[in-house]
Amino acid sequence: MNKTKQDIRKDQILDAALSVLVQKGYERSRMDDVVQESQLSKGAIYWYYKSKKEMYLDLINFWVLRYSVTLNHIVEEDAPPSQQLKDLFKYFIDQNESDPQPFVALTEFWSMAQKDPDFRKKLQKVYTHFLELIEEIIYRGVHSGEFKKVNGRITALSIMVNIESINWFTLFEAHGVSVTEYMETITDFILAGLLKKHEEKIT
Amino acid sequence: MNKTKQDIRKDQILDAALSVLVQKGYERSRMDDVVQESQLSKGAIYWYYKSKKEMYLDLINFWVLRYSVTLNHIVEEDAPPSQQLKDLFKYFIDQNESDPQPFVALTEFWSMAQKDPDFRKKLQKVYTHFLELIEEIIYRGVHSGEFKKVNGRITALSIMVNIESINWFTLFEAHGVSVTEYMETITDFILAGLLKKHEEKIT
DNA sequence: TAAAATAGACCGACCGGTCGGTTTATTTTA
DNA sequence: TAAAATAAACCGACCGGTCGGTCTATTTTA
């Protein structure tokens, strides 16, 4: 797991790429911006990536990999599904608070996905995997009797969408509602819809 | 309310602009594309709009105006708030089904809002107004006793986010879940969280 | 073991196409 | 017939990608 020189360079490039992407978006981001931000040269960057597009596609890999470690950990931990969901929400709230850049970048990738099939396919894969994770939690909850018998796929979709709504706060004025406050309310809201009521549990 | 020649021309331009925007996104959309799509000339377009940016900013106005007619109608109709919310959801589902283009364009405007303060301000205004509409419905519901005493702003935000999630389906594969099916489930979900349970109503 | 050879990493000036916007000429309208 | 509207040729800043070349570290050779 120790990084080679090449991995370090790629990190260096992708760090710069993310920063530029968030500031300017895909189209307006210049390879020369990445050159400057990364303190490397154009030649160096094109040594590691054959095109602007390849570089940004790899940026998705980079972040998926980074997040998936914790995500898998949450799913595999030995906790009641309701707690797992809470952890999931909390993880994204914390991540967004400590560094919203990847979230902002996601908006840009959405926009890219609309135009470019390669970006679409890549994002599709990311989402499919993420949805499967959530669905897994839901299934366990339903199976163990903690959750109502809901449609796992639709519920997972809904949860995912609500997590993504974190982004709304990065961009717009919410008139006095904080992200944390909002997300906590949403978490309760979703869990209220999922958890069996006490009477039902007994029967 | 009858349209002048100029209004017609602007419609013609903005129709083309939307079409191009959806296909290529803001940056990759060429004014020459709009020229071709609108069957006009560059001179004509720059006669009505002083820049690419102005044109696209006006595209937002165009659609806000178009939607706001029905939206206001829904809020002002004499129906129980729960029904108003259902109508709201239904309206967007129908709109998306008959023509998803404006929804796709919204993703692009999100991306624009991140980079350009003018787009951000404009979208902020749109969202603020829309949130106020929803909040108004919520308030009435709470006041009339149909709804629980929820935080109007947060609930409105949540509803809006869920409506926007329609877009997810335009872009990605949901593995067998249809937009309509999804949205109907979500509507029920939200209303379940909002409506007082029968026992509570009686007391 | 010093010189020669090779490979990998990196540099940055430069080229060629692109596209928002301008200009100028022409046609339509009132 | 003057103003409004439209047409289309044109300008030039801009930027992704290229390429000849350098620099450093490792390996081979004699």
Side-chain angles (χ1 to χ4, degrees):
Chain A
M1 193 55 180
N2 42 6
K3 290 189 172 174
T4 65
K5 173 101 183 289
Q6 285 172 28
D7 287 336
I8 292 170
R9 272 282 181 271
K10 281 198 169 187
D11 283 6
Q12 195 178 350
I13 294 171
L14 294 180
D15 279 348
L18 176 64
S19 167
V20 173
L21 183 73
V22 166
Q23 283 174 59
K24 306 204 170 182
Y26 184 87
E27 297 293 344
R28 276 188 192 166
S29 73
R30 304 303 157 210
M31 289 309 269
D32 284 332
D33 296 333
V34 181
V35 167
Q36 213 178 6
E37 188 86 16
S38 66
Q39 310 258 42
L40 291 170
S41 68
K42 215 158 183 182
I45 289 169
Y46 276 92
W47 175 259
Y48 289 98
Y49 295 107
K50 76 165 196 275
S51 68
K52 181 181 181 180
K53 181 171 156 180
E54 274 231 336
M55 184 187 72
Y56 279 114
L57 279 171
D58 197 40
L59 183 59
I60 301 182
N61 293 335
F62 182 77
W63 282 97
V64 164
L65 198 66
R66 176 165 294 192
Y67 279 142
S68 66
V69 178
T70 312
L71 251 34
N72 284 322
H73 195 265
I74 289 176
V75 176
E76 283 159 16
E77 75 187 348
D78 189 27
S82 60
Q83 186 58 45
Q84 288 180 314
L85 284 184
K86 276 185 193 166
D87 291 346
L88 198 69
F89 276 97
K90 189 171 170 359
Y91 177 57
F92 283 108
I93 295 171
D94 290 349
Q95 285 299 310
N96 178 66
E97 205 152 319
S98 68
D99 177 20
Q101 279 197 339
F103 292 80
V104 175
L106 189 60
T107 309
E108 197 58 29
F109 287 128
W110 265 68
S111 156
M112 290 310 296
Q114 279 182 1
K115 304 155 214 163
D116 190 311
D118 293 323
F119 278 95
R120 184 158 53 243
K121 272 178 213 149
K122 180 140 265 177
L123 266 202
Q124 170 80 65
K125 221 179 250 175
V126 174
Y127 277 123
T128 301
H129 181 240
F130 184 47
L131 283 171
E132 278 166 1
L133 277 188
I134 303 178
E135 222 178 317
E136 173 70 25
I137 298 178
I138 310 270
Y139 267 127
R140 288 215 202 111
V142 172
H143 208 75
S144 75
E146 196 187 8
F147 292 166
K148 295 174 193 162
K149 285 204 180 83
V150 292
N151 179 319
R153 193 148 291 168
I154 292 185
T155 310
L157 257 168
S158 164
I159 288 175
M160 192 204 63
V161 159
N162 277 284
I163 289 176
E164 286 215 327
S165 72
I166 289 180
N167 246 346
W168 203 90
F169 288 85
T170 313
L171 211 44
F172 300 114
E173 192 55 50
H175 301 289
V177 182
S178 76
V179 199
T180 316
E181 187 188 3
Y182 171 75
M183 288 305 287
E184 275 166 3
T185 311
I186 295 298
T187 313
D188 292 346
F189 210 51
I190 289 176
L191 280 178
L194 269 178
L195 287 169
K196 281 186 180 171
K197 286 173 215 81
H198 194 55
E199 314 91 80
E200 290 170 336
K201 259 192 203 156
I202 297 169
T203 48
Chain B
M1 191 57 180
N2 43 4
K3 291 189 173 174
T4 65
K5 170 103 181 290
Q6 284 170 25
D7 288 334
I8 292 170
R9 272 282 181 270
K10 281 198 169 191
D11 284 5
Q12 196 177 351
I13 294 170
L14 293 181
D15 278 348
L18 177 64
S19 167
V20 173
L21 183 72
V22 166
Q23 283 174 59
K24 307 203 170 184
Y26 183 88
E27 296 293 345
R28 276 188 191 164
S29 73
R30 306 301 157 211
M31 290 309 270
D32 284 332
D33 295 334
V34 180
V35 167
Q36 213 179 4
E37 186 86 17
S38 67
Q39 311 256 43
L40 293 170
S41 68
K42 221 159 178 180
I45 289 169
Y46 275 91
W47 175 259
Y48 289 98
Y49 294 105
K50 75 164 193 277
S51 69
K52 181 182 181 180
K53 181 170 158 180
E54 273 232 335
M55 184 186 73
Y56 279 114
L57 279 171
D58 196 40
L59 183 58
I60 300 182
N61 293 336
F62 181 77
W63 283 97
V64 165
L65 198 67
R66 176 165 292 192
Y67 279 143
S68 67
V69 178
T70 313
L71 251 33
N72 284 322
H73 193 264
I74 289 176
V75 176
E76 282 157 16
E77 76 188 347
D78 190 24
S82 60
Q83 186 58 45
Q84 289 181 313
L85 283 184
K86 276 185 193 167
D87 291 346
L88 198 68
F89 277 97
K90 190 172 171 358
Y91 176 59
F92 283 108
I93 295 171
D94 290 349
Q95 285 300 309
N96 177 66
E97 205 151 321
S98 68
D99 177 19
Q101 279 199 340
F103 292 80
V104 176
L106 189 59
T107 309
E108 197 57 30
F109 286 128
W110 264 71
S111 156
M112 291 309 297
Q114 281 183 1
K115 305 154 214 164
D116 191 311
D118 293 324
F119 278 94
R120 183 158 53 244
K121 272 178 212 148
K122 181 141 263 178
L123 267 201
Q124 170 80 65
K125 218 178 250 174
V126 173
Y127 277 121
T128 302
H129 181 239
F130 185 45
L131 282 173
E132 279 166 0
L133 276 188
I134 303 178
E135 223 178 317
E136 173 70 26
I137 297 178
I138 309 270
Y139 268 126
R140 288 217 201 107
V142 173
H143 209 75
S144 75
E146 196 187 10
F147 292 164
K148 295 174 194 163
K149 283 200 181 87
V150 292
N151 180 319
R153 192 148 292 167
I154 291 184
T155 309
L157 256 169
S158 165
I159 289 174
M160 191 203 65
V161 160
N162 277 284
I163 289 176
E164 285 213 329
S165 72
I166 289 180
N167 245 346
W168 201 91
F169 288 84
T170 313
L171 211 43
F172 301 111
E173 192 55 50
H175 301 290
V177 182
S178 75
V179 199
T180 316
E181 187 187 2
Y182 172 76
M183 287 306 286
E184 275 166 3
T185 311
I186 295 299
T187 313
D188 292 346
F189 211 50
I190 288 175
L191 280 178
L194 269 178
L195 286 169
K196 281 187 182 171
K197 289 172 213 78
H198 194 56
E199 314 92 79
E200 289 172 336
K201 256 192 203 154
I202 296 169
T203 48

